[in-house]
Amino acid sequence: MTTGTTAATAATAAATPVAGLDEAYLAFWREYHLCTLTTLRPDGSPHVVAVGATFDPETGLARVITNRHSRKARNVRAAGEAGARVAICQLEGRRWATLEGIAVLRDDPASVADAERRYAERYRVPTPNPDRVVIEVRVTRTLGRG
């Protein structure tokens, strides 16, 4: 596994493919692993929770589905249109991978359905939830160790 950095910056609104990641890193993100999502509370302290996450290197987007009333969703929403700085990490033994980026909250039906489909491919079909939203992360940096 190698580390890489995307061409995306905090000022870039569009999704950008993530270049320079080796196949072992990408395969690790397709395997079944629980992750942690770190967001910042309004007071600046970190909020770290276990989540299921998906990563699409072609678009440079990672996604976490959650309830719109969850603390993580509220933390991202509080950051406003500029988005919230977040990190998603997974590990297994000595292997680990982190995606850092700018998160926004999506609640439109198309975004939620797409994120649910991706989640089902990696984990399982999620239970129906009318309050579901998507934390969508535009990845700006990748880290990892194989």
Side-chain angles (χ1 to χ4, degrees), residues 40-53:
L40 297 177
R41 294 181 183 97
D43 69 2
S45 64
H47 176 255
V48 184
V49 293
V51 297

Side-chain angles (χ1 to χ4, degrees), residues 89-105:
C89 184
Q90 66 180 16
L91 64 103
E92 177 186 55
R94 296 181 62 133
R95 296 189 307 161
W96 63 274
T98 299
L99 305 172
E100 295 179 0
I102 306 298
V104 295
L105 209 58

Side-chain angles (χ1 to χ4, degrees), residues 16-39:
T16 305
V18 178
L21 299 177
D22 67 23
E23 184 52 38
Y25 190 89
L26 297 174
F28 191 45
W29 277 104
R30 289 188 297 267
E31 296 170 8
Y32 181 102
H33 296 286
L34 292 179
C35 304
T36 61
L37 171 68
T38 303
T39 60

